[in-house]
Amino acid sequence: MVMIAPFRGVRYNPKRIGVLDSVFAPPYDVISPQEQDELYEKSPYNVIRIILSKIEGDEKYTQAAETFRGWIQDGILIQDSEPCIYPYYQEFEENGKRITRKGFISAVRLEDFSSKRILPHERTFSGPKLDRLKLTSACNANLSPIFTIYSDPEGELERAIEENLSRPVVDAVGGDGARNRLWRVSDGDLISKIKDAMLERSLLIADGHHRYETALEYRNIQRKRFGMGSGNEPYEYVMMYLSRAEGEGLV
C-alpha cells in the first residue's frame, strides 16, 4: 500500500531571502551550463549551489553539504516546527490558456517496484544514480521531490485539501513565468483523511526515476548499517509531489 506521512519541511526563510524567485531552479538534470551560470549569478543562496555545484570531483558533494548546513545555521533555511503536508500549485500558460497543476508534497514510504504500488516507466543509468546517491548521503536530505501521479476521477482528495487552504507561505513567479504557490497543512484530521485515501491507490512516477532508485539504494544502505527497524525510520521514506492524473495541469 502507498503510505504517506507529514514531515517537518526545510524551506527558505522569506525574511532573509526577500524575492523568493531568486532562489528557484529547475530540476538539476535539465539545467544547461549557461543556465547554471545564470542561476549562480541570481543569488548566493540559489538552490543550484546545492543540487548542481560547479566544483569538480567528489569535493562537490562535501561542499554542497557544508553549504546546506551553513544555510540552516545562518537562518537562510528554516525547518517547520510541526509535521505538515505541503499543497503546491503551479499556474502556467499552455496554448494561450492559463492552467493550474495542483498537488501536494509529502513523505511517501519507499516501495520496491515489485510491489506494483509505485510504478516506473523509464529505464535509468548508473552514472546519475551514483551522483545523486553521493549528494543524498553527504547532505542527509531529500533536496527535490519526485513527481508522481495518482488517480482520483472525482477529485475528492483535491477538494478536501483545497477547502483547508488559506494564505500560502510561498507565492512567487519563476523565471519560466509559472506562478508557484506553496501552503502548509498540519491539521491532523485532514492528514489522516489523505493517508487513508492513498492506502489503496498506486503511484506512477512522472519524473524522478533516478532519484527514486537512489532513495531505494540509500534505504538499503541504511538498513545494512542499522539493521531492519520499525519501517518508520526517515530513510524508509522519500519526498514526493503527488498530483491527480485527471487534473487539468497534466497536459
Side-chain angles (χ1 to χ4, degrees):
M1 47 188 160
V2 174
M3 296 188 66
I4 74 160
F7 66 102
R8 294 175 56 215
V10 175
R11 54 190 178 82
Y12 280 103
N13 182 354
K15 294 180 180 178
R16 295 294 307 274
I17 296 301
V19 182
L20 280 171
D21 67 306
S22 67
V23 297
F24 288 1
Y28 80 99
D29 55 353
V30 299
I31 299 172
S32 70
Q34 179 182 343
E35 289 171 324
Q36 185 185 31
D37 290 339
E38 292 171 353
L39 292 167
Y40 258 78
E41 291 298 319
K42 254 191 164 184
S43 170
Y45 304 119
N46 190 286
V47 72
I48 192 73
R49 296 171 185 268
I50 298 175
I51 64 171
L52 194 61
S53 171
K54 288 184 177 182
I55 298 172
E56 296 296 326
D58 285 355
E59 185 183 344
K60 67 182 177 183
Y61 307 114
T62 303
Q63 182 62 51
E66 290 176 355
T67 298
F68 180 58
R69 288 191 288 267
W71 289 355
I72 292 174
Q73 291 170 0
D74 295 341
I76 303 301
L77 297 174
I78 53 176
Q79 185 170 28
D80 287 325
S81 60
E82 56 186 346
C84 301
I85 64 163
Y86 297 85
Y88 176 36
Y89 288 10
Q90 287 183 298
E91 183 183 323
F92 57 95
E93 188 167 308
E94 179 76 10
N95 294 325
K97 179 185 177 183
R98 296 298 291 182
I99 294 174
T100 300
R101 179 189 298 117
K102 301 178 181 181
F104 64 94
I105 297 171
S106 74
V108 177
R109 194 159 79 177
L110 289 156
E111 294 270 355
D112 294 316
F113 291 142
S114 59
S115 76
K116 301 189 183 300
R117 287 295 190 181
I118 297 176
L119 303 167
H121 68 88
E122 290 181 3
R123 293 181 179 179
T124 56
F125 300 93
S126 58
K129 287 189 286 188
L130 180 59
D131 167 61
R132 292 299 100 176
L133 179 61
K134 288 181 176 180
L135 182 61
T136 301
S137 299
C139 295
N140 193 30
N142 289 170
L143 299 169
S144 59
I146 293 154
F147 183 176
T148 63
I149 59 177
Y150 66 93
S151 181
D152 181 13
E154 302 302 322
E156 294 178 4
L157 194 54
E158 194 173 88
R159 283 196 300 274
I161 293 173
E162 196 155 59
E163 289 169 359
N164 284 267
L165 300 184
S166 54
R167 183 178 179 180
V169 294
V170 173
D171 189 347
V173 177
D176 57 358
R179 181 186 182 189
N180 297 266
R181 286 177 290 165
L182 182 81
W183 293 262
R184 292 180 299 170
V185 172
S186 58
D187 179 80
D189 290 339
L190 177 58
I191 290 174
S192 293
K193 181 175 182 177
I194 297 169
K195 291 172 72 171
D196 290 344
M198 295 305 301
L199 284 175
E200 299 306 319
R201 300 177 196 268
S202 59
L203 301 176
L204 174 68
I205 299 174
D207 187 56
H209 288 77
H210 288 90
R211 281 171 284 145
Y212 188 81
E213 291 187 26
T214 294
L216 288 172
E217 179 63 18
Y218 183 76
R219 179 203 66 182
N220 294 341
I221 290 170
Q222 299 307 311
R223 284 178 174 180
K224 289 179 182 178
R225 181 181 178 187
F226 297 111
M228 291 294 292
S230 66
N232 291 317
E233 291 76 13
Y235 53 78
E236 296 283 349
Y237 288 78
V238 69
M239 182 169 65
M240 277 190 184
Y241 171 70
L242 298 90
S243 187
R244 186 168 73 97
E246 298 84 3
E248 69 167 10
L250 293 183
V251 294

